Structure formats: C-alpha cells, structure tokens
Amino acid sequence: GAVVSQHPSRVICKSGTSVKIECRSLDFQATTMFWYRQFPKQSLMLMATSNEGSKATYEQGVEKDKFLINHASLTLSTLTVTSAHPEDSSFYICSARTGGHVGPLHFGNGTRLTVT
Amino acid sequence: DQQVKQNSPSLSVQEGRISILNCDYTNSMFDYFLWYKKYPAEGPTFLISISSIKDKNEDGRFTVFLNKSAKHLSLHIVPSQPGDSAVYFCAASRETSGSRLTFGEGTQLTVNP
C-alpha cells in the first residue's frame, strides 16, 4: 500500500492565486521529504528538500519565495505555490524514505496543477 | 548537464518476451541506482535498486545489471506482461548525499498482447 499520501491529486487555479499541496507520510516519520516537479515528457526534477523543524533547501533555479515549503511535523510537509502563473502548471510529486538515510524514495501520487 | 540519460524514449515488445531498458550516467560519484515505474497521473513506484558494489540484482521478473566501467545500467523484465506498460525511470544518487536522486528522462515501455 501507499506509504506517502499527497493531496490534492488535481487542482485548477487562476493566475495570481496560491495553491497548497500536502504530503503526508503514512505510518512512519519523515524528518526529510523531497519535492519534485515533472513537466510533460521530461524527467523528474528535484525542487527542494523539506526538513522538519528547519528551513527547506532549494535547488538552484527554484525560487524559495514562490514555492513555500513548510515541514511542520514529522509526517506532514506542504508546498505552497504562491501567485501562480500558467508556467507553473506542472506535475508536483513529494517523496520520503521509510528507512532513514538509506533505501529507496517512496513517492506520493502527485498533484497535477493547472494555472489558467 | 544531463547526468543520467535514457536514450530510448520508447520501447515496444511482445508479451512473454524480454524487455531491456537502458540507462547511462556520467557522474562517477554515483553509487546507488534505482528503477522506478510510473503510470500517467501517478507518482513513480519503486521497482528495484542496486548498489555500486554489485553488478546484478534480481527480484522476480526484474533484474538490474550495472556496468560501472561503462557507466551503464539496464533493467531486464522477463517475461514481459501487458501490465508492465508504463514509463520507466532510472535514477542515481550518491549514498553520502542522502536522498538526492537524479532521474533520467524515462522510457515508455509498451507490452503488446
């Protein structure tokens, strides 16, 4: 069964509005969660690493003020896309490891964001 | 700089035959490799992994081969089933960097009945 739950699975919003995406680890604690983005027919690109109790670490080229990450508890990380624009339309996926620092990442089912 | 490359965007095989998906990498610091399967509108699902200390890892119908000198890995699926039709991503990481995975572009596998 799924070990990482992501919500919502699909969202449509208007330009200029903000959208919050939730990522929850099920039955395990995740001090670190990872947010990826996938554009059509492209690879998954790591956006940021979400750290419980501290600031997220953003990859080069990712605007931290646009993609706000909050890791408020050991089982929940949120990604807020602020002042969304059509170019932010993408598939956003979170992930976490169940086995601490080793082992494979487990991914949520992703959120399809469409900005009109 | 694409450090992990899957040069075949698509592959089509007949049910029951072997599917071979290939992946090349350029960063010699990578020491942990994974294959994920992804259906449309879903997140990737972990399939199989291999550490650089091995050259082969097998799990049921799935076998991953690693050739470090060639910086190449492959995923073999045998026998292939129609339900295997999906996009397959290879990914690589440095164990010491924790969970930073670098993904390839993916290969769409279609298994025909």
Side-chain angles (χ1 to χ4, degrees):
Chain A
V3 296
V4 177
S5 173
Q6 193 171 335
H7 178 81
S9 58
R10 184 182 295 270
V11 59
I12 300 172
C13 71
K14 296 192 175 188
S15 287
T17 61
S18 295
V19 173
K20 180 185 283 190
I21 303 169
E22 293 186 349
C23 180
R24 294 181 185 273
S25 58
L26 306 179
D27 300 325
F28 73 99
Q29 295 181 335
T31 55
T32 306
M33 291 185 178
F34 306 88
W35 288 94
Y36 285 81
R37 177 169 58 185
Q38 184 189 24
F39 291 106
K41 299 191 186 302
Q42 293 187 26
S43 182
L44 289 84
M45 300 298 294
L46 178 64
M47 296 175 66
T49 302
S50 171
N51 304 298
E52 189 269 335
S54 65
K55 291 183 179 180
T57 305
Y58 290 82
E59 295 300 302
Q60 191 172 12
V62 178
E63 299 176 58
K64 62 180 181 182
D65 294 329
K66 180 165 188 62
F67 298 100
L68 299 179
I69 291 173
N70 187 321
H71 198 142
S73 76
L74 287 171
T75 59
L76 173 64
S77 173
T78 60
L79 168 68
T80 302
V81 183
T82 63
S83 187
H85 288 107
E87 56 264 33
D88 298 325
S89 299
S90 187
F91 192 57
Y92 293 86
I93 317 171
C94 70
S95 64
R97 272 184 171 163
T98 55
H101 208 58
V102 296
L105 284 180
H106 295 276
F107 288 82
N109 270 338
T111 298
R112 169 68 61 191
L113 171 63
T114 303
V115 184
T116 61
Chain B
D1 175 32
Q2 187 69 25
Q3 296 187 61
V4 179
K5 285 194 67 66
Q6 293 175 255
N7 290 314
S8 298
S10 64
L11 174 68
S12 184
V13 300
Q14 208 63 31
E15 180 178 7
R17 306 295 288 268
I18 185 171
S19 295
I20 300 176
L21 298 118
N22 293 302
C23 179
D24 296 291
Y25 61 96
T26 58
N27 190 339
S28 58
M29 300 299 288
F30 287 143
D31 52 15
Y32 185 57
F33 305 89
L34 310 91
W35 283 95
Y36 285 84
K37 173 181 177 181
K38 184 180 181 299
Y39 294 113
E42 292 185 13
T45 302
F46 169 72
L47 275 178
I48 193 168
S49 64
I50 188 167
S51 169
S52 60
I53 62 173
K54 295 185 174 182
D55 54 19
K56 177 183 174 182
N57 188 26
E58 191 173 350
D59 183 2
R61 297 186 298 116
F62 302 93
T63 303
V64 56
F65 294 92
L66 175 63
N67 183 334
K68 288 188 291 293
S69 61
K71 294 191 180 68
H72 177 84
L73 65 154
S74 60
L75 175 67
H76 293 209
I77 306 173
V78 56
S80 301
Q81 300 172 353
D84 295 329
S85 298
V87 177
Y88 288 78
F89 289 95
C90 72
S93 75
R94 295 170 55 180
E95 284 282 14
T96 54
S97 72
S99 303
R100 288 178 55 100
L101 289 184
T102 301
F103 284 85
E105 307 94 328
T107 297
Q108 171 70 57
L109 173 66
T110 303
V111 180
N112 301 303

